[in-house]
Amino acid sequence: FADTMQLNVDVALLPCQARSIVVLTIIDTWGGAVVTGVALPGEDLLPAGPHRALLEALHSLYEGAGKPGLRRIAAGITNGEYRDTVSHEKVGALLRGASLPGWLKVECVVRQLAVWHNPRLDPDEEAARFTTLWLAADRARRGSESSPGMAALDSVFLTSVPMGPVV
């Protein structure tokens, strides 16, 4: 006779800061394994654009790494040789598209998931690929937060800041 496996699937919608996230839990009742992951938000929650493109690429990396738990990702970063740390809450917000953290935090998550990816991916190549995606998402976010006049003022301010010590 053939071995069969029974799966119990539980899908929960959880409210989160005026958004809903879907957490999918699959329980293998035969072997006891549990696979949980953060689902990619729908386009109604995160419409097409640079932030969604970043998130779709990140979810591809996350899935290739076996959808590790948020605390496991954060612990891997904390115990690794990275330039920053990332809390499990920040990892969750990043995967849900709820926020766009600074580049150092995104880079840590990308590098850790690349190491765990099957097959293993080069963390430097993935970081380079994600730099472009993050920069586009950051530009779009900053553009939507300020008016064109404010962007021009930011540009003037940034170019007028002295670069050396004041004498």
Side-chain angles (χ1 to χ4, degrees), residues 1-9 26-34:
F1 82 95
D3 287 334
T4 60
M5 182 187 319
Q6 178 185 355
L7 297 177
N8 291 340
V9 178
I26 300 174
I27 302 172
D28 168 2
T29 57
W30 187 58
V34 176

Side-chain angles (χ1 to χ4, degrees), residues 3 30 49 54 56 60 71 85 87-88 110 116 127 140 153 164 167:
D3 287 334
W30 187 58
L54 170 71
E56 287 173 347
S60 177
R71 290 179 191 272
T85 60
S87 70
H88 69 279
V110 165
W116 288 340
L153 286 175
V167 185

Side-chain angles (χ1 to χ4, degrees), residues 15-41:
C16 180
Q17 299 176 349
R19 295 181 181 216
S20 294
I21 62 168
V22 177
V23 177
L24 176 64
T25 303
I26 300 174
I27 302 172
D28 168 2
T29 57
W30 187 58
V34 176
V35 178
T36 301
V38 177
L40 179 68

Side-chain angles (χ1 to χ4, degrees), residues 79-99:
N79 297 329
E81 294 184 20
Y82 296 101
R83 300 188 302 162
D84 203 351
T85 60
V86 184
S87 70
H88 69 279
E89 293 97 346
K90 185 65 78 176
V91 173
L94 174 62
L95 287 170
R96 290 189 310 273
S99 70

Side-chain angles (χ1 to χ4, degrees), residues 72-159:
R72 182 166 180 242
I73 295 169
I77 293 166
T78 299
N79 297 329
E81 294 184 20
Y82 296 101
R83 300 188 302 162
D84 203 351
T85 60
V86 184
S87 70
H88 69 279
E89 293 97 346
K90 185 65 78 176
V91 173
L94 174 62
L95 287 170
R96 290 189 310 273
S99 70
L100 182 63
W103 169 243
L104 285 181
K105 298 213 180 283
V106 174
E107 179 188 25
C108 291
V109 173
V110 165
R111 287 179 178 277
Q112 186 63 59
L113 292 175
V115 168
W116 288 340
H117 194 278
N118 186 16
R120 187 181 191 276
L121 299 174
D122 183 281
D124 293 334
E125 289 177 11
E126 290 304 299
R129 180 171 73 98
F130 274 85
T131 299
T132 304
L133 294 167
W134 182 86
L135 285 170
D138 185 55
R139 273 189 225 102
R141 178 186 55 86
R142 286 187 293 132
S144 69
E145 288 178 354
S146 64
S147 67
M150 291 303 292
L153 286 175
D154 287 347
S155 176
V156 169
F157 174 75
L158 289 174
T159 57

Side-chain angles (χ1 to χ4, degrees), residues 39-71:
L40 179 68
E43 287 194 25
D44 57 325
L45 296 176
L46 186 62
H51 190 178
R52 182 162 193 89
L54 170 71
L55 196 58
E56 287 173 347
L58 186 63
H59 267 267
S60 177
L61 199 57
Y62 173 62
E63 289 169 8
K67 293 188 174 184
L70 305 179
R71 290 179 191 272

